[in-house]
Amino acid sequence: MKIKSLLFGLPAIILSAMTFASCEPKEGETDTLSVEPSDAIVFQASDNEDVRLTVTTTAKDWEYTAPEWIKATREGDVLVVNVKENNTSEDALLGRISFTAGTAEPVNVSVMQDGLNGGGTVDPETVPATLLDASGNNDIRIEMAKELQVNAELKLTLSKASTENVEVRVAVDESYISEYDYIHGTSSVILPADVYSLSVGGTKLTISAGETEVAVPFSFNGESLEFGTQYLLPLKAEVISGNASFLKNSDARVNYAVTRKSPRSCKQLCVMEFNDTNPLNVLTYKLEDGSYFFDALVLFSGNIGWYPEEDRVAFNKRQGETSINTNTTALVNDAEKFLKPIHDAGIKVYMGLMPHHTYAGLTNISNWGCVEFAKEMAEIAKDCYIDGFFLDEEYTGTHGGPMSSQWKRTSSDNTYGNGESYMAYQLWKQASAVCDWPIDVSYFQYGLGFGQVTDHEDNSVHHVSEFCNCVMANYGGAGRPYDDQTLAQCCGVSIECARGYGSSASAIKEKMDAGYGWGAAWFAWDPTNYRALKSLISETAELCYDSKLVEPTVYYKKTGQGQYDDKPYEY
């Protein structure tokens, strides 16, 4: 990953003009500035002594900036420098200390620290090189939807001009894909060569002597890509000739993760009763263009409870029980099999959160408690490839007795927003901090109503559209926007598949045309029985998306309590 070098400086000390009167340059002359020693400073990985730099100038004063890993202390006209910490990496650190004074030309002193055990030792004569995308990053995610032609640009940069030409070859490094997936928790396939316009055998970049950078534009064309698959273009650079070097492996790598997503502006929400159905079944309904019919899956529902044994609100636990629901436990414990394939396919996975007959309702947990519970859910989201949460407040009860005072919501908590809003905001905030993918919050608009919140830690104000992207109404109704939301964050139709509270394709189309961002929510959908509503889904696909539903040929079984099968079965 690209590491930004943070700079810091010491405010100039204003001294008496009389002290330097004899040193001031005459009109038309410039100040002078020199630093001794001016040679590059090379620190070892550990156990370094201070280096003293003497500054001489005709200006009234001088200033400096240094990399964040350098410790610098000014003693009069001497700057005492050292490294802050031992280097525990094989990579060397490289930067420069810059001195400025009045109108004098700045003076730069290169500073380096060797890698651990001598790894990455820096040659002071070597010019450090970096390969990045033009955006300034080396890990780039490209999502193609309506626009399947995407332009990009590679940029090779030297830290200073070289005295000779520098030639670098950039080529695809297919062997890196397994390491990339391990680091990012993804499942990628190599991007086909006909999708990008770089040379398959490698692209040569040349920086002429006296120059510091060169850029090469190229493009992606995603027309042949499958929906939901993450493709990876892992590029690696190597110096062919010249006195440049990539001091860190990350400096020589740029990775483009490319996915093709559904171009539909209006989405479909599957609210699945996973006590009855295998979540993998959402992968079985596709349209003719290869996109999935469902854009998001709600796992209905993971429960929350008051757990007095440990004095906390907990996910899937309440008094006297190992777990509230063994089906929830099975999915969370085996997320690689049953949730990751859905997440990787580009279908959002939302964990339902509903109080299970305890006082731990979404509306009555303290702000402190919201933060603590949200932190637990953030780790579950990261480990289980969950893209967000779906809140439902229907079954608050008294099991386990009252919550302790630190967990119970008070009137002072409400000064920062109501309980459900604060819980939604913290779920979004805490999960966004640990997950490498965007986090959404949605909710069942039955006894819940969101409003803006103020973060009690920094008093920042957050409107509903920032942390809530989907509002589902009760069956037969349509979602209503709150605060700064629009219909784009609302679901137009709610369908109860299990009880036959249906709708029509024309009703869904009407809501979509009116601006609803979610056409319908399909509750308790199950393709293995009468809950499939395949004819209604087919009509919706043709009327709303001008595409036919491909006849599904396989399904996935739920084989028992807490038991799912990841093997596809033919109908």
Side-chain angles (χ1 to χ4, degrees), residues 232-552:
L232 186 69
L233 178 62
L235 300 175
K236 185 179 181 180
E238 62 176 346
V239 177
I240 302 173
S241 64
N243 64 333
S245 177
F246 296 100
L247 299 183
K248 298 192 287 278
N249 285 331
S250 58
D251 287 343
R253 290 192 180 278
V254 173
N255 302 303
Y256 291 93
V258 182
T259 55
R260 183 178 179 183
K261 296 199 169 186
S262 171
R264 304 194 298 260
S265 58
C266 187
K267 301 178 284 291
Q268 303 294 328
L269 180 69
C270 179
V271 186
M272 179 179 287
E273 178 53 81
F274 63 82
N275 288 322
D276 304 325
T277 312
N278 190 322
L280 291 174
N281 280 309
V282 295
L283 299 173
T284 65
Y285 271 38
K286 284 187 171 184
L287 304 186
E288 286 180 318
D289 64 0
S291 64
Y292 294 95
F293 177 76
F294 294 112
D295 300 277
L297 167 68
V298 173
L299 298 170
F300 189 85
S301 181
N303 300 114
I304 63 176
W306 169 238
Y307 194 54
E309 286 94 325
E310 296 183 2
D311 187 31
R312 68 186 180 99
V313 171
F315 176 67
N316 203 35
K317 297 186 77 169
R318 67 176 189 175
Q319 184 185 36
E321 297 176 333
T322 303
S323 66
I324 293 175
N325 189 335
T326 57
N327 293 313
T328 304
T329 303
L331 293 179
V332 168
N333 288 348
D334 217 349
E336 291 281 341
K337 284 186 179 180
F338 301 110
L339 302 182
K340 186 175 186 293
I342 303 169
H343 168 88
D344 287 349
I347 299 175
K348 300 281 190 178
V349 180
Y350 300 152
M351 176 60 73
L353 293 176
M354 184 166 63
H356 195 71
H357 307 289
T358 76
Y359 277 101
L362 299 165
T363 60
N364 57 11
I365 299 174
S366 68
N367 290 345
W368 175 87
C370 288
V371 173
E372 294 303 303
F373 179 69
K375 287 180 179 178
E376 177 188 0
M377 294 311 305
E379 292 302 315
I380 292 174
K382 180 181 67 174
D383 294 341
C384 299
Y385 310 97
I386 289 171
D387 300 279
F389 306 96
F390 179 85
L391 308 187
D392 185 352
E393 180 86 328
E394 292 186 80
Y395 299 108
T396 304
T398 59
H399 184 94
M403 292 187 294
S404 61
S405 59
Q406 66 178 348
W407 287 92
K408 184 178 180 181
R409 192 166 193 82
T410 65
S411 58
S412 61
D413 288 313
N414 290 330
T415 60
Y416 296 92
N418 62 34
E420 59 265 38
S421 300
Y422 207 80
M423 175 63 81
Y425 164 70
Q426 285 295 338
L427 287 167
W428 169 79
K429 175 185 176 181
Q430 301 300 333
S432 295
V434 300
C435 294
D436 290 334
W437 49 85
I439 296 297
D440 302 328
V441 176
S442 52
Y443 72 102
F444 184 40
Q445 202 169 37
Y446 184 78
L448 291 178
F450 282 9
Q452 76 174 46
V453 300
T454 301
D455 193 314
H456 75 282
E457 294 181 335
D458 59 12
N459 288 320
S460 57
V461 176
H462 302 271
H463 290 279
V464 175
S465 67
E466 183 179 359
F467 56 84
C468 179
N469 78 314
C470 179
V471 179
M472 173 188 169
N474 203 0
Y475 310 113
R480 303 186 309 278
Y482 280 126
D483 190 29
D484 67 331
Q485 287 182 309
T486 67
L487 293 180
Q489 289 91 40
C490 296
C491 192
V493 175
S494 293
I495 301 170
E496 224 286 16
C497 303
R499 299 179 182 178
Y501 301 162
S503 185
S504 65
S506 59
I508 298 172
K509 179 68 162 56
E510 180 182 346
K511 293 298 184 182
M512 291 172 57
D513 291 342
Y516 283 81
W518 298 82
W522 308 74
F523 178 75
W525 174 80
D526 184 348
T528 65
N529 56 36
Y530 66 95
R531 301 180 181 183
L533 298 187
K534 187 169 66 175
S535 60
L536 177 57
I537 290 177
S538 296
E539 293 171 10
T540 301
E542 291 193 47
L543 183 61
C544 298
Y545 304 125
D546 194 27
S547 180
K548 292 183 180 296
L549 179 72
V550 177
E551 184 66 27

Side-chain angles (χ1 to χ4, degrees), residues 13 41 48 116 135 149 169 227 269 285 302 348 352 366 375 413:
I13 301 174
I41 304 170
N48 291 283
L116 186 65
S135 65
Q149 186 81 22
R169 177 178 172 268
F227 288 91
L269 180 69
Y285 271 38
K348 300 281 190 178
S366 68
K375 287 180 179 178
D413 288 313

